[in-house]
Each structure stands twice: as structure tokens, then as C-alpha cells.
Amino acid sequence: MATAEIDAPTDPLEGFRAHAREWLAAHFPPALKGKDNAMSAVEGPHENSPEEDAWQQAMGEKGWGVPTWPKEYGGGGLSRAEARVLQEEMARIGAWNPIGGMGVMMFGPTLLEYGSEEQKREHIPAIARGTVRWCQGYSEPGAGSDLASLQCFAEDKGDHYLVNGQKTWTSGGQWADKCFMLVRTDKTKKHEGITFLLCDMDTPGVEVKPIRLISGSSPFCETFFTDVKVPKANRVGEEGQGWTIGKRLLQHERSSLSGGGSTAGRMFAGAPLGQLAKKYVGIDEAGRIADADLRTRIVRHEMDLRAFMLTLRRASLEAKSNQGPSAATSIMKNVGARIMQERSELLIEIRGLAGLGWEGEGFEADALKDVRSWLFGKAVSIYGGSSEIQNNVIAKRILGMLDHQ
């Protein structure tokens, strides 16, 4: 047998791992090790450093910001197994994905399923490169949990729709380039009268007003549409198909918010709670956290967190390559929300008075950040579909419990 045959790798994944490791070593700036991905947040525009620009361009051109998306639209074309290897190799060197946001989390995967070929080629490459920011036009003042009662109306004007109405809680609306939105095109039908449109945020008649939250940030907006012209080419799917498409998009959103996506996953990051508790609460003679009740609750929380993350990983491993998120994302979203909020409460409790600072000297930067995350985190069980809505989805679509009159 030839030497080349003996030395040939038997596992294709190991060959890909070697390629990924070599490429990352050549393109990831060491100065960015451990830094965060501003593009995946909704806290505002981020002034990139030269290193960040170079890293985003490299990942965008490679398609690895969206590794499993088709190569013909700018994605990486990797299998799920290869994407996991890439993630492992990035974690090994402290690299992070510079491509994110709602285009990646929600709209892109949905457009790949429901969009026309022209729409995919127009929008997906820019999402894959991270050069366009998207926002979501779903909720309205009178249509939150009952989203299907939305009233923002799109009137058929031949080659375009004329949109009038209001959206609220538009995440990042003041910084977004484009908006994917649900509008009503038929007032005589509820679910069947909804259509999915794409709107440029600089279109005349679009106005955004940021909403200031108790956390001090303004990541959300009220968005007003007054005689806004939206070309019919910007309709995804058929007229009246918006509710079906919109529900699918929400499954992708809940998958990310549950912790499966990079945005929510970062909420689990930070110093171990036990380590922090020993610093602020102290230790007993055995070297354990001095407060026995707090020690027990921290252990239970860490067990829940690890079980949850393992469940997410198992669900990902078991998913077939041609399947997307299912109704099970409602379970993950509810559990993830509870664990996120529980962690925030523990962080505040552990630090005591030192964990209740808002600004000024005498407070650590991490403590100030955790206070804001604690306040912002109250919304986790509301946005993306409230916990009550998720319970309804679980009851009807997973447990098979139907309403009986």
C-alpha cells in the first residue's frame, strides 16, 4: 500500500478542522480575542476598529458568519458537523462571529425558505457579509400577544402597496437599513388577511421614535408609516401568506432567544457564580460559600444551566440538515428565559449593596453592567412571544391539547 494511502486522513472532519484552524490563524486578529460582536446586538451602531473591519470582511467573504447557508448566496455551505467544528476552533482561540443581527437570527433563514430567487440573491449576500441591518415590524400598540389582530394596513396600488399604521417595540429601528414586517392587506379576514413585506427604512413616510427603558438604554422604537410606498417586488410569498411566514420566522427567533443563538448565549457568560459568591459572601471553614442557602441555590442554578445547554446541543445534533426549528423552541425559550432571569437575580443578590449601583465611583464595571442586564432581562419572558403565549404553543402543538367550547 502506498504511503499516501496510509497517511490519508480517515475522518473528513479532521481535514476540515485542520483547514479551519489554519484559516483562523491567518485571519483572526489576536487583539480581538474574547471581544464581543456588536453587530448581533441592538444597542446601537458600533464604530469598528481596523482589526474588526478586517475580521468582518474576512468572515463575510469566506461565508463563515453564516456557515450553513448555501454558498451561492454568500454562505459557507458547511454541514452542521463542519459548522460545529468551526465553532470549536473559534472558541479555542477566543474568536467570535462578527456577523449577526436580526438578518442572521430571523429574516435570513426565513427568506431562504419562502423568498423568491431574486429576493434571495438581493438580500442574503448582504446579510451574510454583515453589511445591512434589519429590524422587525411585528408588534403594534393594539397587537402584541394577539399579533394576528394587527391593523397596519397595506393598500394595493397596482405595482406597489401604500402602507399606513404603527409598529412598536421595533428593536434597533433607529439604526436599521431595512425592515421585515407583517401588514394587513385584507380587513375581512384575520390570519389570512396578513402579508409579509420588506421596507427600506429611509423610504419617505417612515418615522422612528426611540423608547427609553428602565435599564437606561433605548434599543426599541415606535415606528410610524404614513403613505409609505412599498414595491410589490418586496412582498415575500403570496398576499395573505404572511401569517404562515411570520410564524416560521418566530420559530427562528425563539431558537436564538432560547440560548441556541449567539445573542442569547452571551447572557450565560461571565464569572462563575460560585467564584463571585466566595468573593462577596465569604467562605466557611471548609472553603465553601458561607451562606448555605445561597450555596444550594447557586448549585441548583448551575445544574439547570448545564442541563439546558446540553439539551440545546443534543437537539442541534439530532436535527437533520434539512430541518429548521420546530414548536419545541417554545419550550427552550421559556426555560432559557427563566434561567437567564434567575442568573441575573443571583448576581444582584451575591453582590449585595455593591450590586445595586447605577453609576459613579465605588462600583465595579461588571457590577454596573449586570444591573442593567438584570433590568433589561425582565423583558426576556415577554419579547419574542411571552411565556404565556409559549405555553399555549406547547399545549396545542406539542401536547395536542385543543380548545373545547
Side-chain angles (χ1 to χ4, degrees), residues 8 26 38 50 102 169 210 236 259 308 313 324:
M102 294 187 182
W169 307 117
V236 179
F308 176 65
R313 181 167 178 78

Side-chain angles (χ1 to χ4, degrees), residues 6-268:
I6 296 175
D7 295 338
T10 56
D11 186 352
L13 283 182
E14 288 309 306
F16 174 76
R17 185 182 298 276
H19 167 63
R21 184 172 297 187
E22 180 181 357
W23 188 89
L24 290 170
H27 293 88
F28 179 66
L32 299 182
K33 181 178 180 179
K35 288 193 174 183
D36 203 6
N37 174 11
M39 269 297 291
S40 65
V42 295
E43 288 297 324
H46 174 69
E47 188 70 28
N48 277 354
S49 67
E51 291 85 1
E52 288 172 320
D53 280 335
W55 176 230
Q56 179 175 320
Q57 181 178 350
M59 283 287 279
E61 291 177 352
K62 188 72 170 176
W64 282 0
V66 283
T68 60
W69 290 12
K71 288 184 71 68
E72 59 264 36
Y73 305 123
L78 303 183
S79 67
R80 290 179 180 268
E82 289 172 329
R84 288 194 297 273
V85 169
L86 174 60
Q87 187 176 35
E88 291 167 0
E89 288 303 309
M90 290 176 66
R92 184 182 63 83
I93 62 172
W96 42 272
N97 190 344
I99 311 294
M102 294 187 182
V104 172
M105 290 170 56
M106 295 177 271
F107 176 60
T110 307
L111 192 68
L112 285 171
E113 288 188 60
Y114 290 96
S116 66
E117 185 64 22
E118 292 77 11
Q119 289 170 337
K120 293 177 187 177
R121 295 196 178 279
E122 178 182 359
H123 299 296
I124 297 297
I127 297 174
R129 294 192 303 269
T131 56
V132 173
R133 293 181 72 107
W134 285 84
C135 66
Q136 178 185 39
Y138 271 34
S139 297
E140 298 180 6
S145 295
D146 184 15
L147 180 59
S149 64
L150 63 89
Q151 295 300 313
C152 185
F153 188 64
E155 183 181 0
D156 191 334
K157 290 293 185 178
D159 63 346
H160 69 275
Y161 291 102
L162 198 64
V163 180
N164 283 279
Q166 179 185 355
K167 297 293 181 179
T168 193
W169 307 117
T170 311
S171 301
Q174 66 269 56
W175 306 299
D177 303 298
K178 299 176 183 292
C179 176
F180 52 88
M181 60 188 301
L182 293 178
V183 298
R184 183 160 300 286
T185 48
D186 188 338
K187 295 182 179 181
T188 67
K189 302 175 182 178
K190 188 173 184 180
H191 296 85
E192 295 82 4
I194 296 172
T195 299
F196 196 102
L197 295 183
L198 311 179
C199 177
D200 289 344
M201 291 297 284
D202 61 358
T203 305
V206 178
E207 180 184 8
V208 295
K209 295 182 178 180
I211 301 171
R212 188 170 180 83
L213 307 183
I214 60 173
S215 63
S217 63
S218 299
F220 305 118
C221 293
E222 294 177 287
T223 308
F224 300 89
F225 299 85
T226 306
D227 291 337
V228 176
K229 293 183 178 180
V230 177
K232 286 229 177 134
N234 286 9
R235 185 187 68 207
V236 179
E238 298 300 321
E239 188 171 295
Q241 195 184 7
W243 185 247
T244 297
I245 299 172
K247 286 193 300 180
R248 184 58 169 165
L249 184 142
L250 286 175
Q251 288 184 332
H252 288 291
E253 179 183 22
R254 290 161 187 166
S255 177
S256 292
L257 294 177
S258 70
S262 59
T263 301
R266 289 196 307 277
M267 296 184 71
F268 296 114

